[in-house]
Amino acid sequence: MADEDIEGGSGGGGGGKKKLIIIIVAVLVLLGGGAGAFLFLMGGDSGSAQEDIVIEEAEPVNLQAIYVTLPQPFVFNVTGDMQQRLVQVNVQLMVRGDRNETMAKQNLPLVEHSLLTTFGAATVEQLRTPQGQVEVRKQAVDTVQAAMEKVTGKTVVERVLFTGFVMQ
């Protein structure tokens, strides 16, 4: 009987040790798998985010300029000289790369609205002089870039160019 108690005791203890070893191994495997998954997911995201940042910064410098012609000229009234004047401006947008060209074309109503708002705020005195026209173009670029950044997250348009200008 003593032999049976010893064998039973060691058999039960051995079974308990086996269970303990299995549990420890299972916990280590789960922890290792979790750590591996964490490194894979977090390591992949930070690396691609860094690559995206590099691509975004390099994009405007390396890409060819593309000119997007707005389909209709802008016709608006400006005040000054005790009378209103009618102004017609043809505009092209300078963008860099095919993606920016596509985004500019997709958002033409927003661009046109931004430009018309800027042109409507101009005065006859501004539009008469070349320096004033440059000032209006700069304001137009700022307005369009701000509007595009709100919608697309990028400024998209690099310059606003007047290709035709008539004031009556």
Side-chain angles (χ1 to χ4, degrees), residues 1-19:
M1 270 223 192
D3 291 335
E4 289 178 6
D5 287 339
I6 294 173
E7 286 177 39
S10 68
K17 287 181 183 179
K18 286 182 183 177
K19 286 182 184 178

Side-chain angles (χ1 to χ4, degrees), residues 38-131:
F38 176 78
L39 290 175
F40 176 75
L41 293 175
M42 298 312 256
D45 284 345
S46 68
S48 66
Q50 289 174 353
E51 290 171 11
D52 288 345
I53 290 170
V54 171
I55 290 171
E56 293 297 325
E57 289 175 3
E59 190 175 73
V61 176
N62 295 333
L63 297 176
Q64 181 179 7
I66 298 172
Y67 298 92
V68 177
T69 303
L70 297 180
Q72 299 291 327
F74 290 91
V75 179
F76 55 95
N77 290 323
V78 291
T79 57
D81 297 12
M82 303 192 5
Q83 70 181 55
Q84 290 194 353
R85 303 240 180 212
L86 186 65
V87 179
Q88 179 176 336
V89 179
N90 293 346
V91 175
Q92 285 188 337
L93 308 173
M94 187 177 97
V95 298
R96 298 246 180 219
D98 294 333
R99 289 189 325 175
N100 286 342
E101 178 186 17
T102 302
M103 282 192 276
K105 287 180 178 179
Q106 287 174 343
N107 292 290
L108 271 181
L110 175 65
V111 170
E112 289 173 344
H113 172 74
S114 300
L115 290 173
L116 195 54
T117 301
T118 302
F119 295 155
T123 64
V124 170
E125 290 77 23
Q126 280 181 311
L127 296 174
R128 277 191 179 157
T129 63
Q131 296 84 9

